[in-house]
Amino acid sequence: MNEGIINAIEQIVSASNVLENEPMSRHTTFRTGGPASLFIRPENKDQLVEVMALIKKLGTEFFVLGNGSNLLISDEGFDGVVISLSKMNDIHLEGDNDIYAEAGAMNSQIAAFARDNGLKNFEFAAGIPGTIGGAMIMNAGAYGGEMKLVTRSVTVLSPEGEIMVLDNSSMEFGYRSSAIKGRGYIVISVLLSLEKGDKETITQNMQELAAKRREKQPLEFPSAGSTFKRPEGYFAGKLIEDAGLRGFSVGDAAVSEKHCGFVINKGNATSAEVYELICEVEKRVYENSGVTLEPEVIMLGKF
Ligand SMILES: Cc1cc2nc3c(=O)[nH]c(=O)nc-3n(C[C@H](O)[C@H](O)[C@H](O)COP(=O)(O)OP(=O)(O)OC[C@H]3O[C@@H](n4cnc5c(N)ncnc54)[C@H](O)[C@@H]3O)c2cc1C
């Protein structure tokens, strides 16, 4: 990337948080993906706002990264700036029952913090291996819980550089979607509204849900969780199984034997192999059942 851009970014974000040609396989749970021309980690809101103003002024391509747990990044990588929010991860109490979390805080850490403070209703998210920022984009959910049910407000940075606070109703939460998707907002922080609960019960709930995940999901392999959205009236995993695709593979990318809704990386899969597998699964499921599967996983770069 142009030296001038790097120098200008290093005026805002410390040089140790500005990496060139950073392999994205280090930052996705699929463990695939080529290099980002520039990979930066702002440490706070002010740095994020300033860096975004600069990127906008320069017209540079950018991508905001949470924990990379819902991403397939091409093997060629991304010719632009990846902005990782991993250093913006403050979590603290606001009042009695609310938790403030910066966008880069992990759901697992927030769930542990909620438990330690005797606050319930966030247990469902403990096993979703992403950030709270990423969870807002997707209205992430599991086991009957979803972000919509626990979010009081979300502070975002608009593409015009304005900081806005969106309350729950303005978030337009839907199935794996929210107002943030498509509007180019960047989540800066979230205020979660929880309820007082019994620590023992919260701990037990979290343990039970973790055990369910270990039993049903191939957590021993890299993946991006459920690869496809749930088609209305069906389960993606069942459709894939019925199409005879359990264990079906392209190179080291495979439909999990344990849970057909998961595409896994058995070792050295490339993003191209994962992509080819996804396309083949979509095709065969359609031929077998007439149902169109749509990837839940977000793709970045050329495929
Ligand atoms: C083993 C496993 C189990 C999973 N189980 C579940 C589950 O039960 N329920 C579920 O809903 N999901 C699940 N997922 C998928 C994934 O964890 C969620 O979709 C998660 O919310 C993604 O968050 P992230 O921080 O990793 O986002 P990323 O994958 O980094 O990014 C996803 C999208 O969000 C955008 N984004 C991220 N942060 C911000 C921000 N601060 N501002 C603006 N845009 C942002 C990115 O640009 C990208 O478009 C699972 C994944 C795995 C690997």
Side-chain angles (χ1 to χ4, degrees):
M1 177 154 291
N2 176 311
E3 275 301 307
I5 298 181
I6 298 176
N7 288 340
I9 288 179
E10 285 182 354
Q11 299 296 312
I12 304 167
V13 178
S14 69
S16 61
N17 287 320
V18 179
L19 308 175
E20 277 187 83
N21 297 318
E22 174 68 3
M24 292 307 292
S25 52
R26 291 187 186 153
H27 304 281
T28 59
T29 55
F30 254 136
R31 297 280 168 258
T32 66
S37 310
L38 206 62
F39 181 91
I40 65 171
R41 289 177 294 219
E43 290 176 280
N44 53 50
K45 181 184 78 177
D46 294 344
Q47 286 187 4
L48 175 66
V49 170
E50 234 186 295
V51 104
M52 285 316 301
L54 177 71
I55 284 173
K56 180 118 200 276
K57 194 170 106 193
L58 298 171
T60 313
E61 288 270 331
F62 72 93
F63 183 81
V64 178
L65 178 73
N67 193 44
S69 66
N70 204 32
L71 286 183
L72 184 64
I73 301 182
S74 100
D75 299 316
E76 288 171 35
F78 176 66
D79 187 16
V81 183
V82 169
I83 301 147
S84 160
L85 299 185
S86 60
K87 300 248 159 173
M88 289 174 53
N89 55 17
D90 180 37
I91 304 171
H92 63 248
L93 279 178
E94 293 244 327
D96 288 342
N97 296 349
D98 285 4
I99 292 178
Y100 166 95
E102 276 188 307
M106 294 289 288
N107 297 315
S108 53
Q109 283 162 351
I110 299 170
F113 181 84
R115 176 201 60 208
D116 295 345
N117 285 282
L119 292 172
K120 65 176 184 182
N121 296 350
F122 201 73
E123 297 94 305
F124 78 91
I128 302 178
T131 61
I132 192 72
M136 288 297 128
I137 313 300
M138 323 290 302
N139 183 22
Y143 303 111
E146 56 179 337
M147 292 300 153
K148 177 185 178 174
L149 301 174
V150 291
T151 301
R152 184 181 295 287
S153 63
V154 183
T155 301
V156 300
L157 177 65
S158 77
E160 293 73 37
E162 193 188 345
I163 292 181
M164 297 157 49
V165 180
L166 307 178
D167 63 14
N168 184 299
S169 60
S170 315
M171 281 293 289
E172 296 166 21
F173 285 120
Y175 174 65
R176 298 294 173 267
S177 72
S178 74
I180 307 227
K181 237 183 180 179
R183 290 201 197 160
Y185 293 152
I186 298 176
V187 176
I188 295 175
S189 62
V190 176
L191 198 58
L192 298 166
S193 164
L194 305 182
E195 282 174 32
K196 288 261 176 319
D198 171 52
K199 251 192 216 183
E200 288 286 302
T201 315
I202 296 168
T203 307
Q204 207 182 327
N205 284 345
M206 283 169 66
Q207 285 169 348
E208 279 171 19
L209 294 181
K212 270 194 197 167
R213 272 187 192 270
R214 280 195 301 275
E215 189 201 333
K216 296 262 183 310
Q217 301 182 355
L219 301 183
E220 59 280 22
F221 290 103
S223 78
S226 298
T227 314
F228 301 96
K229 289 185 182 170
R230 180 164 23 89
E232 210 160 330
Y234 300 92
F235 288 103
K238 175 82 169 62
L239 291 169
I240 295 168
E241 188 183 346
D242 290 349
L245 295 170
R246 181 183 291 277
F248 174 70
S249 62
V250 174
D252 257 356
V255 170
S256 162
E257 302 262 354
K258 195 169 176 183
H259 186 321
C260 291
F262 277 54
V263 170
I264 56 169
N265 176 354
K266 289 198 289 185
N268 294 309
T270 61
S271 290
E273 288 170 349
V274 173
Y275 182 69
E276 197 184 322
L277 182 81
I278 288 175
C279 295
E280 196 56 31
V281 167
E282 283 175 359
K283 182 169 157 268
R284 296 206 197 177
V285 164
Y286 184 74
E287 284 167 0
N288 189 58
S289 62
V291 179
T292 304
L293 287 181
E294 197 190 324
E296 179 172 313
V297 171
I298 291 166
M299 308 206 188
L300 177 67
K302 288 196 197 108
F303 282 98

